[in-house]
C-alpha cells in the first residue's frame, strides 16, 4: 500500500464526486476507466460512457492518457475534474504533458529573456525533486497562520470551477495576478466561460484536508534562490529570498527581510501610500520600489503583524484628520464630524465612542472651556477643596499619587514636539529629533526646541 | 571576500567581535596625505538594519569631523541602508578626507576657517596631520 493517494474526482454538473485510492504509478487512462465505470453504475438510465468521451482536467490542463499520477503534482485529497469532451480543440494538446506548476516555475514579474542563461537548475526540470518543484510559490495561509509553499491552480472566472483548460501558460507574474490576461475553455456542462482565473492553495503538510480548497494569498516576492544570489544585508547565500520590486531586483534573504521589517516597524518607519497602504520600499532605498502585496509583512509573525495593522490603521486615521482617544488603554480611533451650527467653543470637544472620555481635540487633555493651557497640561489642580470634598479621601490620594507620578515622569523625561506637541523621549543619539507621529515628521532640535538647522548641527549636534 | 582596500584596514577586537580597530591612510593630494588615522568602529546590535558607529581616535582638522572625532556623514545617519557594509562606510570616510564639505559642517570653527581662508585651513590641517597622525 505504499505510494497510495486519495484523489477526489468531480464529474457531475451538480458537483457529484467520487474518491479513488490510486497508486502513484496509475495512469490517467486507468483513472478514466474507473471513473467511467463508476458513472455508468450510478446513472443506470443514461447512455453508457466510454473512457474516450471524457477528459481529465487538473490545474488548467487536460492530462494525457499516458501520464502517471506521480508526475502530475497531485497531493493527497487533490481534486481533479472529469468532463465530457465538448469538442476536440487543436490547441489543447500543446503542453498537456507538462503541468501548470512545471510550466511556470520561473515566473518573474517582467520578461527576463536576457537573464535566462543565469538560471541554473530551472533549465532542466527533471533535476528537481518533486519537493523542490513545490516550493516555487510561497503563500500566506490564514488557516495554518503560516508562510508555506503553495500550489498554483486555475479556475473558470465565470463558474469558478476548476474545469477550465488554459490556451497558454502564464509567462510572468502579471499574467497570474491580473485578471483576464489568459484565456481558456471551460468544460463545465453548459458554462461558456473563456477567461482563466489563477489562484493559490496552501501546500503545507499540516493544512487541514477539509479546507483544501481555500484559496490563499501568494507572496510573489518570496522566491526559491535558485540563482544563488547573496543577501544584500548579511551577504550569505540562503535558500529562500525576497526579491524587492525595484528595477535592480535587489535580493535580501528571508531572515534579513524579517529583521528589516521588524526594525522598520519598531521605528515606525513604514511608508503610507494611498493605493497600497502601509508598506516598505527596497532596503537599498531604490525609488518606486514599494511592496504592493502587504501580506508579505506576515513574515514578522502574528504579534508583530497585529502591531503593524494597528499602526497602519492609526496612520490612516491621522492622515484623514481623525483623532486617537488619549485615554490610557483606550486609543480608539474617532472621526470628528464638523457641524457649522455648533458653538465654536465646543467644536474641539470630542467624545470617545469607545470609552466615553470627553477630551479637547487641540491639547488632547480632558475637555475644558476656554483656551488650552499652554504646556501646563501637567499641573492638574487636584488639591482644590471642591474636588477632594466630594470623594473619599483615601482613593482621592491614591489616584492623585498615581496621576501626579506618571505625569511628572512624563514631564521630566520628555519634551513636546514643537509642531504637534506629542511628548517625545530622547533615548541616546544626537540632538536631531524627527517626530514619528503620522503626518508630522517634523525635524527639530532637542536643545533649541525649534526646527533643526545647520547651526544646530554645527553647534550642538551631539550636546 | 572583497579585495582589500588600499590605505584602509579594519581589525576586529580580540575580546569583542563587534568592535573594530580601523586605520585609514590620508588620501594622496589631500592635506591629510602621509598621515595614519586611527578610528573605532562599532556594530550595534541592530546592524545591519542600523548604521555602524564610527569615530576618529586621531585628532584631525576637518570641517566635517568635530573635536571628539564624530563624523558628519549622511550614510551614517538617515541615508543608511542594510546594503551598505563596513567597507563602503570606510571608503566614504576616506572620500570625505579627500573632499571636505564646509557647507555641511560639524566643526563650525573649522568650517568657517575653511570658507574664509582655505589656504590657511589646509595649512593647519597639514600641520595637525604632522603633529598627531605621523607619530607612529
Amino acid at each position: 500500500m505504499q505510494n497510495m493517494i486519495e484523489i477526489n474526482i468531480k464529474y457531475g454538473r451538480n458537483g457529484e464526486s467520487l474518491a479513488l485510492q490510486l497508486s502513484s504509478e496509475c495512469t490517467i487512462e486507468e483513472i478514466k476507466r474507473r471513473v467511467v465505470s463508476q458513472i455508468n453504475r450510478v446513472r443506470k438510465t443514461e447512455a453508457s460512457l466510454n473512457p474516450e468521451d471524457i477528459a481529465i482536467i487538473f490545474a488548467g490542463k487536460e492530462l494525457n492518457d499516458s501520464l502517471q499520477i506521480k508526475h502530475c503534482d497531485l497531493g493527497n485529497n487533490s481534486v481533479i475534474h472529469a468532463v465530457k469532451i465538448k469538442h476536440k480543440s487543436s490547441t489543447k494538446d500543446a503542453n498537456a504533458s507538462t503541468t501548470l506548476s512545471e510550466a511556470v516555475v520561473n515566473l518573474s514579474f517582467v520578461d527576463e529573456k536576457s537573464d535566462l542563461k543565469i538560471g541554473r537548475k530551472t533549465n532542466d526540470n527533471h533535476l528537481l525533486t518533486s519537493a523542490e518543484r513545490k516550493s516555487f510559490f510561497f503563500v500566506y495561509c490564514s488557516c495554518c497562520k503560516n508562510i508555506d509553499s503553495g500550489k498554483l491552480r486555475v479556475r473558470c472566472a465565470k463558474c469558478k470551477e476548476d474545469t477550465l483548460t488554459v490556451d497558454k501558460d502564464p509567462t510572468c507574474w502579471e499574467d497570474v495576478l491580473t485578471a483576464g490576461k489568459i484565456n481558456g475553455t471551460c468544460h463545465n456542462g453548459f458554462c461558456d466561460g473563456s477567461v482563466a482565473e489563477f489562484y493559490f492553495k496552501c501546500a503545507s503538510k499540516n493544512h487541514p484536508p477539509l479546507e483544501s480548497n481555500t484559496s490563499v494569498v501568494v507572496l510573489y516576492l518570496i522566491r526559491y534562490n535558485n540563482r544563488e544570489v547573496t543577501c544584500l544585508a548579511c551577504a550569505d547565500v540562503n535558500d529562500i529570498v525576497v526579491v524587492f520590486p525595484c528595477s535592480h531586483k535587489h535580493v535580501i534573504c528571508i531572515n534579513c527581510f524579517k529583521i528589516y521589517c521588524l526594525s522598520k516597524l519598531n521605528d515606525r518607519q513604514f511608508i503610507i501610500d494611498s493605493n497600497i497602504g502601509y508598506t516598505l520600499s527596497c532596503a537599498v532605498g531604490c525609488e518606486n520600489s514599494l511592496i504592493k502585496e502587504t501580506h508579505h509583512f506576515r513574515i514578522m509573525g502574528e504579534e508583530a503583524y497585529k502591531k503593524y495593522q494597528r499602526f497602519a490603521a492609526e496612520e490612516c486615521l491621522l492622515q484623514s484628520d481623525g483623532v486617537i482617544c488619549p485615554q490610557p488603554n483606550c486609543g480608539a480611533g474617532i472621526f470628528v464630524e464638523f457641524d457649522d451650527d455648533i458653538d465654536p467653543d465646543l467644536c474641539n470637544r470630542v467624545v470617545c465612542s469607545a470609552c466615553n472620555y470627553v477630551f479637547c481635540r487641540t491639547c488632547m487633555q480632558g475637555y475644558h472651556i476656554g483656551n488650552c493651557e499652554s504646556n501646563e497640561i501637567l499641573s492638574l489642580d487636584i488639591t482644590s477643596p471642591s474636588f477632594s470634598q466630594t470623594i473619599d479621601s483615601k482613593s482621592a490620594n491614591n489616584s492623585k499619587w498615581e496621576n501626579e507620578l506618571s505625569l511628572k515622569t512624563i514631564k521630566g523625561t520628555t519634551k513636546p514636539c514643537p509642531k504637534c506637541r506629542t511628548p517625545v523621549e530622547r533615548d541616546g543619539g544626537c540632538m536631531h529629533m524627527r517626530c514619528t507621529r503620522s503626518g508630522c515628521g517634523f525635524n527639530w532640535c532637542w536643545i533649541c526646541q525649534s526646527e533643526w538647522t545647520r547651526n544646530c548641527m554645527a553647534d550642538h549636534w551631539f550636546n | 571576500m572583497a579585495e582589500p582596500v588600499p590605505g584602509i584596514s579594519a581589525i576586529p577586537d580580540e575580546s569583542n567581535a563587534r568592535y573594530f580597530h580601523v586605520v585609514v591612510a590620508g588620501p594622496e593630494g589631500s592635506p591629510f596625505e602621509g598621515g595614519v588615522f586611527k578610528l573605532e568602529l562599532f556594530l550595534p546590535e541592530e546592524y545591519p538594519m542600523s548604521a555602524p558607529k564610527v569615530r576618529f581616535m586621531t585628532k584631525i582638522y576637518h570641517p566635517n569631523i568635530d573635536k571628539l572625532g564624530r563624523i558628519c556623514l549622511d550614510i551614517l545617519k538617515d541615508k543608511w541602508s542594510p546594503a551598505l557594509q563596513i567597507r563602503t562606510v570606510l571608503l566614504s570616510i576616506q572620500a570625505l578626507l579627500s573632499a571636505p564639505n564646509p557647507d555641511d559642517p560639524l566643526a563650525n570653527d573649522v568650517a568657517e576657517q575653511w570658507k574664509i581662508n582655505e589656504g590657511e585651513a589646509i595649512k593647519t590641517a597639514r600641520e595637525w596631520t604632522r603633529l598627531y597622525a605621523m607619530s607612529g
Side-chain angles (χ1 to χ4, degrees), chain B residues 20-39:
Chain B
F20 287 76
H21 301 273
V22 177
V23 176
V24 174
E28 261 177 57
S30 78
F32 311 102
E33 186 177 346
V36 173
F37 297 87
K38 285 185 186 146
L39 295 89

Side-chain angles (χ1 to χ4, degrees), chain A residues 133-183:
Chain A
R133 202 178 293 149
K134 275 183 188 168
S135 51
F136 280 106
F137 302 109
F138 294 88
V139 295
Y140 173 72
C141 175
S142 57
C143 199
C144 303
K145 300 217 178 303
N146 203 8
I147 290 177
D148 215 313
S149 53
K151 298 184 276 196
L152 173 65
R153 295 293 177 257
V154 61
R155 62 190 165 207
C156 167
K158 196 173 178 188
C159 72
K160 306 288 175 194
E161 285 291 339
D162 291 6
T163 46
L164 180 124
T165 50
V166 290
D167 290 349
K168 60 169 185 166
D169 291 325
T171 53
C172 61
W173 273 106
E174 209 193 334
D175 284 349
V176 172
L177 299 174
T178 316
K181 286 272 175 185
I182 300 284
N183 291 328

Side-chain angles (χ1 to χ4, degrees), chain A residues 44 88 115 139 166 177 184 217 220 222 224 232 246 274 285 326 347 365 402 447 459 461-462:
Chain A
K44 285 175 191 133
K88 284 270 176 189
D115 288 347
V139 295
V166 290
L177 299 174
V217 191
Y220 50 81
I222 307 180
Y224 188 72
L232 66 86
C246 60
S274 53
C347 70
Q365 300 304 309
E402 285 281 343
I447 289 177
D459 294 341
W461 197 12
F462 285 92

Side-chain angles (χ1 to χ4, degrees), chain A residues 410-411 413-417 422-425 444 446-447 449:
Chain A
I410 293 172
K411 179 155 191 161
T413 54
T414 67
K415 289 182 180 182
C417 163
T422 303
V424 179
E425 188 183 7
W444 57 284
W446 182 259
I447 289 177
Q449 283 185 257

